[in-house]
């Protein structure tokens, strides 16, 4: 296992490009969804979902639980190490996960402004966040990106007027899996869901709600 290190500043996010879906692919998708034709709004939703996935599928190899913990651990060190840790958290391009950044960026900015008691408040908040992160399971960024993509495909499937999704073995979920597999084929997305349909069902059930 490589030694964790404070995450580097993130690069500007890639710009998603809608994936082109040809007439044949539209017909195949309509067939899977049991529609007479693929409505333009559904086609656009699928095209944009694929484009977003392709732009973000690799994730950030630096933004891991271990690296975020290493970055927060720098706040316990004196001198230049502490100053760099505070500047990292205050930066809009901070490479820590977004939850940690939202929690600690205002506190780091307060330290940079030398506000009274700000160091103590940041230290306490960082310690609490480190305890939370230590309970998190290890994640692989590309896997989490695929999970999100599958959750979005489920929403698109629901919007298509296809059967309602109930028990994991019912016709609705079978159709949803079939739809997702067709999208993977059209987009050239590698997967092992042929051998693990239950994993695909799990991924399609990913909560993609906001807030």
């Amino acid at each position: 296992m490589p030694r964790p290190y404070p995450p580097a500043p993130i690069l500007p996010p890639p710009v998603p490009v809608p994936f082109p879906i040809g007439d044949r692919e539209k017909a195949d998708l309509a067939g899977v969804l049991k529609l007479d034709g693929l409505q333009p709004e559904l086609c656009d939703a699928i095209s944009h979902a694929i484009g977003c996935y392709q732009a973000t599928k690799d994730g950030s190899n630096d933004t891991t639980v271990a690296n975020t913990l290493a970055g927060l651990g720098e706040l316990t060190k004196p001198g230049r190490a502490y100053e760099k840790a505070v500047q990292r958290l205050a930066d809009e391009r901070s490479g820590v996960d977004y939850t940690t950044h939202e929690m600690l960026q205002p506190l780091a900015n307060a330290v940079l402004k030398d506000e009274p008691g700000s160091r103590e408040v940041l230290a306490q908040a960082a310690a609490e966040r480190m305890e939370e992160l230590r309970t998190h399971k290890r994640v692989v960024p590309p896997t989490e990106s695929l999970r999100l993509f599958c959750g979005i495909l489920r929403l698109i499937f629901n919007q298509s007027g296809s059967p309602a999704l109930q028990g994991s073995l019912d016709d609705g979920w079978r159709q949803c899996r079939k739809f997702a597999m067709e999208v993977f084929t059209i987009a050239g997305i590698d997967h092992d869901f042929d051998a693990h349909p239950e994993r695909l069902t799990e991924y399609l059930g990913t909560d993609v709600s906001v807030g």
Side-chain angles (χ1 to χ4, degrees):
M1 290 290 293
R3 184 176 179 178
Y5 55 87
I10 59 175
L11 297 173
V15 179
V17 177
F19 182 84
I21 300 177
D23 291 340
R24 181 176 178 179
E25 288 79 14
K26 291 177 184 177
D28 290 340
L29 287 165
V32 169
L33 293 170
K34 298 182 178 181
L35 300 171
D36 293 334
L38 193 66
Q39 301 97 323
E41 60 271 19
L42 276 178
C43 183
D44 288 345
I46 296 168
S47 174
H48 280 83
I50 295 172
C52 289
Y53 171 71
Q54 291 181 333
T56 61
K57 62 185 177 67
D58 295 327
S60 171
N61 292 326
D62 288 332
T63 304
T64 64
V65 170
N67 289 355
T68 297
L69 285 170
L72 297 182
E74 297 289 289
L75 292 171
T76 63
K77 298 179 180 180
R80 183 59 182 157
Y82 178 85
E83 293 173 4
K84 289 179 66 176
V86 172
Q87 291 169 355
R88 184 183 301 113
L89 289 172
D91 193 335
E92 290 293 340
R93 297 173 55 235
S94 175
V96 300
D97 67 278
Y98 73 91
T99 301
T100 300
H101 190 237
E102 287 183 354
M103 292 172 57
L104 301 185
Q105 184 192 31
L107 305 180
N109 280 322
V111 172
L112 292 179
K113 295 175 183 176
D114 202 24
E115 295 181 5
S118 57
R119 289 190 173 223
E120 291 77 11
V121 173
L122 176 60
Q124 180 178 349
E128 292 174 356
R129 180 58 179 160
M130 290 176 75
E131 286 303 310
E132 292 176 356
L133 288 170
R134 290 190 181 104
T135 66
H136 285 206
K137 295 180 179 179
R138 184 183 179 190
V139 298
V140 179
T143 299
E144 296 311 302
S145 182
L146 182 58
R147 283 181 183 273
L148 177 63
F149 179 53
C150 287
I152 292 171
L153 290 182
R154 184 196 77 247
L155 295 184
I156 294 173
F157 177 83
N158 288 342
Q159 293 169 359
S160 73
S162 296
L165 304 179
Q166 299 174 1
S168 61
L169 300 179
D170 75 357
D171 184 61
W173 279 109
R174 280 193 292 271
Q175 286 298 113
C176 190
R177 288 193 296 270
K178 190 175 180 180
F179 164 66
M181 294 288 274
E182 186 64 33
V183 173
F184 297 155
T185 299
I186 290 171
I189 297 172
D190 293 329
H191 60 83
D192 63 351
F193 293 133
D194 296 285
H196 302 284
E198 74 288 345
R199 185 182 302 162
L200 178 54
T201 301
E202 176 195 343
Y203 281 27
L204 289 168
T206 300
D207 182 3
V208 293
S209 59
V210 178

